[in-house]
Amino acid sequence: MRSAVYNSAIPKVINPAAGMASGVRLLTFFLFVLALPLCVHAADWNAPEQQLAHKIVAITGPGAIAVTIDNRSTLGQREVEIVSNGLRAALEATGIRSATPEQAVATVAISLSENPRAYVWVAEIHQGSAAPVVVMISAVRPEGTTLAHDSVPLMLRKTAVWSQQDRILDVLALDDAPTPAHIAVLSAENISLYRMQNAKWTLEESLAIVHARPWPRDLRGRLFSAKDHLLDAYLPGMICHATASAPLALNCRESDDPWPLAPISLTSSAPPSFGTSSAAQSAVMSTSAFFASSRNFFTGALAPSVGKFSTVAKFFSSAAISREKYVLWLFASVDGQVHLVDGVTDQAARLNWGSDIASVKTGCGAGWQVLATSSDTQNGDQVRAFEFPDRDPVPVSAAMDFPGEITALWTESKGDTAIAVVQNRESGEYEAVRLAVACNQ
């Protein structure tokens, strides 16, 4: 995962109900219901805000401080805004002035986390070359609140697939088993085929990738199953095709053709369409994007276009949510924003996400979930599932921890699971795991 950024709420437009009288009654009731939790949350956050602010200033002293606030809890965007504004106000009251990292005498990274009993807010303080200092407080949950996975019972599950010392770019399951028994592993210089025999992986074939130009430093690549041959491999400035019959061969050629943004087999996979039209699913499948041959991101040029947009901002990864009459595309752009493109509008938002996102089509919740990474500088990256009732992401699972930096996150061939690759901080090895969404009911 390449970056994580903070988001403010995306404004929504409320359409009035037909008829003046009914519209006024509906709006009055809506505002009344909204006001209740807002008042409770705003009053309850004051004490922990003051407590954390005083712990921070006891370490830094008053002065110019660079402060960032990262939400890793199940607090909604509205509550996060309230807490963030309250924390900044409490810090200012202690004599701390907000500043850029270049002008600050210290930096403070605040994480809003939680456990089953309380919210836990952690501040990591850096001052010059001194070792970082960590302070924390706990805030009792306001009465009536519950964890996100209590109200929207989805769960992420991961299954280990493969690990090796060399960087893993992608892993492709070559069978339809719930736990793959035949896989292809894409590395920088080869595609290796493995089969599970006697409870361990056995190498069947290693196909060399012949390339004339050196790879970019942060190499990325994708594997796709094919209908008339074994698989396709997409690498910067190159496409490779593996034959299906023995003897196996890998034919690679230089190419600037766009990369598919979703697995080709998704439309014919087992999961039902959950009300989405075949036209919308076809739009998901047919969209490709051009990859910068000397960099690690997509240029933003699309083929074909998404509605009126033939280009979007340069992006690291994408996810698609198929609606009944259109497809909502999400692009994790290189500037840290997420662009939501529906073919008519391109709305940019700063979400608390990293650079790797992927969508899965399941039998849980709304039927489509977006898996998004976020950064934990102390331990490792995290992945959480989100749904989009409209344009605001709603977390529908608890965050899943990983033992290091996530370097790839791709939707698998059937579309209902994803492959995540992480570099383990302790062993240094690259580990590929399968992520699935469970309904947890």
Side-chain angles (χ1 to χ4, degrees), residues 44-117:
D44 285 348
W45 300 132
N46 182 62
E49 289 164 358
Q50 297 292 334
Q51 186 181 359
L52 184 59
H54 283 90
K55 284 194 173 187
I56 292 172
V57 78
I59 303 298
T60 65
I65 309 295
V67 179
T68 60
I69 301 175
D70 181 15
N71 179 37
R72 298 172 186 165
S73 70
T74 55
L75 284 175
Q77 289 183 336
R78 195 181 301 275
E79 288 85 357
V80 170
E81 283 193 333
I82 293 171
V83 170
S84 299
N85 292 336
L87 281 171
R88 294 184 188 279
L91 289 169
E92 289 178 3
T94 64
I96 288 178
R97 304 190 312 277
S98 179
T100 63
E102 295 77 17
Q103 298 173 329
V105 297
T107 61
V108 179
I110 299 174
S111 300
L112 309 179
S113 302
E114 66 186 337
N115 59 39
R117 296 174 301 279

Side-chain angles (χ1 to χ4, degrees), residues 383-421:
V383 172
R384 175 174 281 171
F386 294 83
E387 289 182 355
F388 280 76
D390 186 26
R391 294 295 190 272
D392 289 329
V394 175
V396 292
S397 79
M400 174 174 284
D401 295 325
F402 284 78
E405 179 188 2
I406 292 174
T407 59
L409 180 64
W410 303 118
T411 303
E412 288 199 85
S413 293
K414 289 180 64 178
D416 57 348
T417 54
I419 285 289
V421 179

Side-chain angles (χ1 to χ4, degrees), residues 181-402:
H182 193 199
I183 61 173
V185 180
L186 176 62
S187 303
E189 303 300 332
N190 55 66
I191 299 175
S192 301
L193 307 180
Y194 295 91
R195 187 178 295 277
M196 180 66 73
Q197 292 181 339
N198 300 322
K200 70 175 186 178
W201 290 110
T202 301
L203 177 65
E204 287 190 323
E205 193 90 33
S206 182
L207 307 174
I209 299 173
V210 179
H211 57 100
R213 294 184 294 180
W215 294 129
R217 183 175 61 179
D218 185 10
L219 178 62
R220 304 180 68 195
R222 288 217 64 181
L223 290 175
F224 292 96
S225 57
K227 294 182 179 180
D228 57 352
H229 51 281
L230 183 62
L231 58 83
D232 295 323
Y234 287 78
L235 293 146
M238 178 174 288
I239 296 178
C240 300
H241 306 287
T243 60
S245 57
L248 295 179
L250 186 66
N251 301 311
C252 298
R253 60 181 175 85
E254 291 190 2
S255 172
D256 291 326
D257 290 348
W259 296 17
L261 292 183
I264 297 172
S265 59
L266 181 57
T267 51
S268 59
S269 60
S273 63
F274 303 100
T276 57
S277 67
S278 58
Q281 291 190 43
S282 297
V284 174
M285 300 319 308
S286 62
T287 304
S288 299
F290 290 85
F291 196 87
S293 60
S294 61
R295 304 298 295 273
N296 65 343
F297 53 75
F298 292 88
T299 65
L302 305 175
S305 61
V306 176
K308 69 177 185 179
F309 296 98
S310 59
T311 60
V312 294
K314 298 174 183 177
F315 63 94
F316 288 117
S317 59
S318 66
I321 305 171
S322 185
R323 309 287 204 194
E324 184 174 356
K325 296 183 179 179
Y326 70 97
V327 176
L328 178 65
W329 279 95
L330 287 74
F331 298 98
S333 64
V334 298
D335 63 1
Q337 297 187 98
V338 176
H339 285 256
L340 293 86
V341 179
D342 59 11
V344 178
T345 61
D346 180 350
Q347 184 177 14
R350 286 199 171 274
L351 307 179
N352 181 34
W353 292 1
S355 57
D356 290 292
I357 62 175
S359 56
V360 289
K361 175 184 171 185
T362 69
C364 299
W368 289 79
Q369 290 82 38
V370 173
L371 307 182
T373 57
S374 62
S375 177
D376 183 340
T377 56
Q378 291 184 336
N379 301 309
D381 288 349
Q382 297 178 325
V383 172
R384 175 174 281 171
F386 294 83
E387 289 182 355
F388 280 76
D390 186 26
R391 294 295 190 272
D392 289 329
V394 175
V396 292
S397 79
M400 174 174 284
D401 295 325
F402 284 78

Side-chain angles (χ1 to χ4, degrees), residues 143-203:
E143 186 177 354
T145 63
T146 57
L147 284 169
H149 51 268
D150 292 331
S151 57
V152 272
L154 302 186
M155 178 184 296
L156 283 180
R157 293 178 178 171
K158 62 181 176 181
T159 304
V161 178
W162 179 254
S163 65
Q164 63 183 37
Q165 197 65 41
D166 293 336
R167 181 165 184 164
I168 299 172
L169 304 180
D170 196 8
V171 173
L172 175 67
L174 299 176
D175 54 46
D176 291 331
T179 300
H182 193 199
I183 61 173
V185 180
L186 176 62
S187 303
E189 303 300 332
N190 55 66
I191 299 175
S192 301
L193 307 180
Y194 295 91
R195 187 178 295 277
M196 180 66 73
Q197 292 181 339
N198 300 322
K200 70 175 186 178
W201 290 110
T202 301
L203 177 65

Side-chain angles (χ1 to χ4, degrees), residues 120-141:
V120 179
W121 299 350
V122 181
E124 184 176 317
I125 304 168
H126 294 261
Q127 288 180 295
S129 59
V133 178
V134 176
V135 297
M136 66 179 66
I137 61 96
S138 61
V140 178
R141 294 181 183 279

